[in-house]
Amino acid sequence: MSYRSSLSAVLADVVAPAAEVAGEQGRFPRTAVTALGRAGLLGLTAATADGGGGRGCAEAAEVVARTARVCPATAAVLTSHFAAVTALGVYGSPWLRGEIAAGRHLATLALGDVVGLEGLFVDAGAGRRHLSPGGGGSTAVRSGGVVALRARRRSVVAAGEADSYLWSSEALETSRPTAPRALSGRPGRTDRGGVTLWVVPAHAPDLFVPARPDGGGLRGSGSSTVCADPVLVPADAMLGPDGGGGDIVLGVVRPWLLELTAALASEVPRTRDVPCGDTGFADARSGTGPSKAGARDAPSGAGPAGAARSEDTGLAPACHPGGTLAPT
């Protein structure tokens, strides 16, 4: 069965019935995402060598657009997933790539300001532009084989629902040059503006999302803040070279994200919100994000394991017990 036939069946049998719940009650479309994975659509763009569909951006955009006509929230989740897979499918571990290809792994973006269409670049003169420093406001400190990532990522799609996050940070502190000693006698640190990418598993200790999502995206898409204060990951969770994440984002992730977001925006009425903000979504029709007036505070409903989320206003772990990123 072709991916188009598989998509038609899933849209009719699963996504459409769940769309009203996602749109009206703000529940994350877990059954729809699971069905898309089983139909091979979450692994559509994974390499054939890993067992995936081997399809490109055009096919992914088609899937997003067709899904958006039925359930915009599910389409937003697919947009973030496909964009994250562009990096994870190249730089992720063989096991992770295989899980994505098999449709058992949902990825999402937690890149801060790194891929935002506004504030992504700073002028470098002569028409040249480069990534603004800071890795989207996240620091990374290595101690032995462990790295502590500290940041607060806002408007992350599928927050607390995805199995892993494509995360950005400043380059490791141990790899930054130091400036000559200042008058105080303390060495100053120069920021070379490097950005480093990581894969952060949902089950990582001390990774949290608010129990009540804070909006910032399409209702039902699970958009919320993800907090790392800090979260510890193994050093081999780094994707690509230290400080080289900017090239990956600009050369690999961003082109797909723009195309997928355009496909989503073309099918979502202008009266609806289009995901934007720190995850890098923007309204591709105008180049700007939506009004903040559309943000809602609806709970995201059940998590991947089927357990309802807490209704209190504290913090809930940004994971589910059945997360599929293998411990390292």
Side-chain angles (χ1 to χ4, degrees):
M1 182 183 295
S2 69
Y3 77 88
R4 291 187 176 96
S5 298
S6 298
L7 177 61
S8 296
V10 173
L11 291 178
D13 297 340
V14 183
V15 178
E20 183 175 355
V21 175
E24 298 301 323
Q25 301 181 27
R27 292 185 182 178
F28 185 81
R30 172 51 53 185
T31 57
V33 172
T34 299
L36 289 165
R38 290 174 177 170
L41 293 163
L42 289 186
L44 179 70
T45 62
T48 54
D50 295 322
R55 299 288 182 168
C57 187
E59 291 87 350
E62 178 189 351
V63 170
V64 167
R66 290 184 58 188
T67 303
R69 298 169 197 162
V70 179
C71 180
T74 302
V77 173
L78 286 174
T79 296
S80 191
H81 170 77
F82 285 140
V85 167
T86 60
L88 298 178
V90 176
Y91 298 96
S93 68
W95 183 89
L96 176 59
R97 298 198 307 268
E99 288 295 293
I100 292 172
R104 294 188 293 262
H105 190 98
L106 179 66
T108 194
L109 299 174
L111 295 176
D113 297 329
V114 172
V115 294
L117 297 183
E118 299 298 327
L120 170 61
F121 300 108
V122 294
D123 265 330
R128 292 181 293 112
R129 308 183 107 183
H130 61 81
L131 280 172
S132 57
S138 175
T139 60
V141 180
R142 179 169 181 169
S143 178
V146 177
V147 175
L149 300 173
R150 190 183 301 272
R152 182 179 293 262
R153 291 283 183 256
R154 296 179 175 84
S155 302
V156 176
V157 174
E161 301 285 352
D163 297 301
S164 69
Y165 301 85
L166 179 60
W167 194 277
S168 66
S169 75
E170 297 177 356
L172 287 170
E173 290 193 356
T174 55
S175 65
R176 296 179 195 155
T178 56
R181 290 180 177 271
L183 295 178
S184 63
R186 297 180 179 179
R189 195 181 71 200
T190 62
D191 191 344
R192 62 181 185 180
V195 174
T196 300
L197 296 182
W198 309 85
V199 54
V200 176
H203 57 67
D206 298 323
L207 189 68
F208 292 96
V209 297
R212 292 180 181 272
D214 56 2
L218 282 169
R219 187 174 177 84
S221 64
S223 297
S224 187
T225 297
V226 177
C227 305
D229 193 27
V231 62
L232 303 180
V233 297
D236 61 8
M238 182 187 296
L239 298 177
D242 183 28
D247 292 334
I248 298 173
V249 170
L250 292 178
V252 179
V253 178
R254 186 172 181 267
W256 278 61
L257 185 59
L258 290 175
E259 188 72 20
L260 296 170
T261 303
L264 172 61
S266 68
E267 300 297 336
V268 178
R270 289 179 180 269
T271 54
R272 289 182 179 267
D273 290 336
V274 176
C276 70
D278 291 342
T279 54
F281 286 113
D283 188 337
R285 297 162 300 193
S286 63
T288 59
S291 168
K292 294 295 183 181
R296 299 175 176 89
D297 296 319
S300 64
R309 291 189 181 280
S310 169
E311 292 300 319
D312 51 34
T313 58
L315 292 177
C319 66
H320 55 85
T324 59
L325 190 64
T328 54

